Amino acid sequence: MSPTSPEIKAQVSVSRLRCINCGATADRAEQNFRCPNCGDLFEVFYPGWETSRGLRAAGHDAAALKQIWRERKTSLAPADTSGVWRFRELLPSLAHGHEPITLREGNTPLYDLPRCARAAGMQSLQAKHQGMNPTASFKDTGMTTAASFARQEGFRWVACASTGNTSASMAAYAARGGMRSLVLIPEGKISWGKLSQSLDYGAITCQLRTDFDGCVKVLNELVGRKPIYLLNSVNPYRLEGQKTAAIELLEQLEWQPPDHLVVPGGNLGNSSALGKAFLEMKELGLISRLPKLSVIQAEGANPFYRSIREHGGKKLLPMQAETLATAIRIGNPASWKKALRVIQATEGTVEQVSEVEIALAKAEIGSDGVGCEPASAVTLAGLKKLVKQGYVKSGESVVLILTGHVLKDPEFTLQFHRGDLFTGSAHETAAKTLKPQQRAPLVLDATVDAVIETLERFDSEG
Ligand code: F0G
């Protein structure tokens, strides 16, 4: 196909940036990705979608888009085998001659969770497992887009502050794209699995003596002083890529939206991105109604929950965050205003869950043969509460977004099963209820009898 063929042209979605607060527009952002007028965040919008006959992404109607995306599943071209770039009509386009940096991200499974459904009092329950991405978290879907723009703009260095997953993903995509990467993570408060990933992918990894919010502060000053491309989720190109999980989900559901989508909330980029996707899909006629998007936080890292429940979403008071779900140990979430808009537009809600509730939900997701990291398990823990409150009805369709793979944080899992996750903590008494879920490894003599005896003991337990 020649570069000027109509088909290639039709795939281009011209995008611009718009401030979510003052509405100022721009073609490109400063290095801190903040609006120069008011300091708030930018979002990507597509002026070219508006036609006299309504909204059309890259000139296609909804039926044509669905067909193009389905046909690409049989293509072997790198951009088509990516579960992100396959949906490129809804993404900002790279300039002619620039290829995406891709690890074949996206393409993640949608699983039934029958045991979890029973535990939550639901007739059925599904989970989209974003931990099945190349670096084992949902971050890859946004990193492929933003890292590709970093390379297009000629940056040698990219950087992020992270609780571990963004940094693992960024390090991988920077390495694939021939860029250098700088990671700022809180010392001692991220899992070894995530830390080891960024080392292996060759990032310069700095463990700062502070928390995630402190790392963000240092990074923001740093990008003002050095030519470094910022890859935190304030970067709106990340959220555009993360949108595709929602598009892919709807394709998997044959374009029938679920009644509810339940998402963990940390820095609140992911809920913002998924919500943006739903709103755009509705405007483009790809779906006819919106799922209610609800955000779940850990009790010890619940600034968004408190903002909505205590201040009607009018302000967010930063807090000192503390939770064993270290991925969402965030006290001052950058994208809270974007997430608030999504909750309001979809009539979703917020909930908070305790440390013991998170641990139980994680084991239950594991017992369905799926597994996830602790931060992802807040979704099931939160769903149980929403069902009890009557906000979610047992016959409704619900999809949980599982954000990270079970192997991201094996230490948590081992301590849980050994029964010492909460030893010496304020949750020790409440954690006694977890005993039936715990399966500590058994150390036995190396005899068949010892193994058979163990087998029979468990068999008689049912
Ligand atoms: N789940 C996991 C596994 C995460 O790593 C994160 C965020 C979230 C949920 C929350 O998503 O921030 O978009 O609301 N991790 C970031 C990081 C902050 O640095 O890896 P969010």
Side-chain angles (χ1 to χ4, degrees):
M1 213 183 294
S2 86
T4 51
S5 80
E7 207 171 320
I8 289 235
K9 266 199 192 152
Q11 290 170 11
V12 169
S13 271
V14 176
S15 65
R16 302 197 71 209
L17 301 175
R18 179 171 51 209
C19 171
I20 60 163
N21 176 44
C22 73
T25 57
D27 283 319
R28 61 182 301 285
E30 303 291 317
Q31 258 167 257
N32 63 3
F33 285 101
R34 295 269 171 186
C35 170
N37 293 342
C38 71
D40 221 318
L41 298 183
F42 279 119
E43 65 180 354
V44 172
F45 76 107
Y46 302 89
W49 286 6
E50 286 170 30
T51 71
S52 53
R53 283 178 295 164
L55 287 188
R56 288 177 152 228
H60 298 293
D61 64 23
L65 284 172
K66 289 176 186 176
Q67 192 185 339
I68 292 169
W69 295 336
R70 189 172 313 120
E71 281 169 3
R72 283 191 189 135
K73 283 185 166 183
T74 57
S75 159
L76 298 177
D80 293 342
T81 56
S82 160
V84 171
W85 295 98
R86 187 160 69 85
F87 302 103
R88 54 190 170 270
E89 284 75 13
L90 268 48
L91 300 176
S93 339
L94 293 165
H96 181 64
H98 289 269
E99 293 299 320
I101 305 168
T102 173
L103 286 163
R104 316 295 184 264
E105 51 289 317
N107 299 315
T108 58
L110 182 64
Y111 293 127
D112 283 328
L113 301 180
R115 286 194 181 87
C116 293
R118 275 200 295 282
M122 296 291 299
Q123 287 169 24
S124 67
L125 178 61
Q126 289 184 299
K128 182 150 176 72
H129 206 327
Q130 293 297 95
M132 306 301 259
N133 268 290
T135 76
S137 85
F138 72 101
K139 305 288 183 180
D140 295 343
T141 54
M143 209 50 79
T144 182
T145 42
S148 300
F149 278 94
R151 183 168 71 174
Q152 172 172 303
E153 291 198 19
F155 280 90
R156 195 166 104 82
W157 279 93
V158 295
C160 71
S162 181
T163 55
N165 278 327
T166 301
S167 46
S169 180
M170 178 189 77
Y173 282 82
R176 297 293 295 180
M179 294 177 288
R180 307 213 58 200
S181 64
L182 175 74
V183 164
L184 304 184
I185 46 171
E187 202 221 344
K189 298 290 181 176
I190 79 165
S191 76
W192 296 128
K194 299 173 191 179
L195 176 62
S196 60
Q197 280 182 292
S198 81
L199 303 181
D200 224 36
Y201 302 137
I204 306 299
T205 304
C206 305
Q207 297 182 272
L208 303 189
R209 289 187 202 94
T210 177
D211 55 12
F212 169 80
D213 302 294
C215 291
V216 170
K217 265 194 209 129
V218 173
L219 182 65
N220 283 338
E221 274 190 40
L222 183 69
V223 294
R225 287 167 55 177
K226 287 279 182 188
I228 296 176
Y229 190 84
L230 181 68
L231 277 175
N232 274 79
S233 55
V234 295
N235 180 327
Y237 297 105
R238 278 222 8 232
L239 301 198
E240 290 306 286
Q242 283 177 213
K243 277 187 339 192
T244 58
I247 309 171
E248 189 179 83
L249 169 67
L250 264 296
E251 190 185 55
Q252 287 166 316
L253 294 172
E254 297 184 352
W255 304 101
Q256 296 303 315
D259 297 312
H260 298 271
L261 193 82
V262 185
V263 185
N267 218 14
L268 298 171
N270 201 30
S271 33
S272 305
L274 298 169
K276 185 170 190 282
F278 289 128
L279 293 169
E280 288 178 357
M281 283 192 279
K282 172 107 190 312
E283 283 177 14
L284 290 166
L286 288 155
I287 52 174
S288 54
R289 62 182 176 83
L290 296 169
K292 295 188 169 89
L293 191 149
S294 295
V295 173
I296 316 295
Q297 296 205 294
E299 273 177 11
N302 64 353
F304 187 55
Y305 170 85
R306 283 165 42 178
S307 163
I308 292 187
R309 292 291 169 103
E310 292 167 22
H311 307 290
K314 290 196 174 57
K315 59 179 176 181
L316 179 136
L317 301 178
M319 65 184 287
Q320 186 73 43
E322 200 50 76
T323 171
L324 291 176
T326 51
I328 50 173
R329 190 171 173 269
I330 295 173
N332 190 14
S335 294
W336 73 273
K337 286 185 196 162
K338 288 186 179 179
L340 175 67
R341 259 189 344 189
V342 164
I343 289 202
Q344 288 169 342
T346 67
E347 297 175 9
T349 188
V350 283
E351 197 37 89
Q352 62 173 354
V353 291
S354 74
E355 296 294 295
V356 172
E357 287 166 338
I358 296 171
L360 174 61
K362 186 177 121 50
E364 286 167 338
I365 293 167
S367 74
D368 256 323
V370 171
C372 64
E373 69 164 282
S376 309
V378 301
T379 52
L380 177 61
L383 173 66
K384 290 181 190 172
K385 290 192 156 171
L386 299 181
V387 174
K388 280 210 182 92
Q389 292 158 11
Y391 176 79
V392 174
K393 311 272 178 305
S394 72
E396 286 186 307
S397 54
V398 178
V399 177
L400 309 179
I401 299 291
L402 302 181
T403 43
H405 198 280
V406 66
L407 291 177
K408 282 282 190 177
D409 195 349
E411 215 173 317
F412 181 108
T413 310
L414 280 174
Q415 286 186 350
F416 174 89
H417 287 288
R418 288 188 177 132
D420 50 15
L421 188 59
F422 295 108
T423 307
S425 82
H427 311 289
E428 200 163 351
T429 312
K432 293 208 168 86
T433 55
L434 299 172
K435 220 160 181 68
Q437 299 287 334
Q438 287 161 353
R439 292 271 176 275
L442 307 167
V443 181
L444 304 176
D445 288 335
T447 65
V448 184
D449 285 347
V451 176
I452 287 180
E453 191 189 308
T454 307
L455 189 69
E456 286 172 349
R457 185 155 49 85
F458 279 93
D459 207 21
S460 64
E461 278 175 18

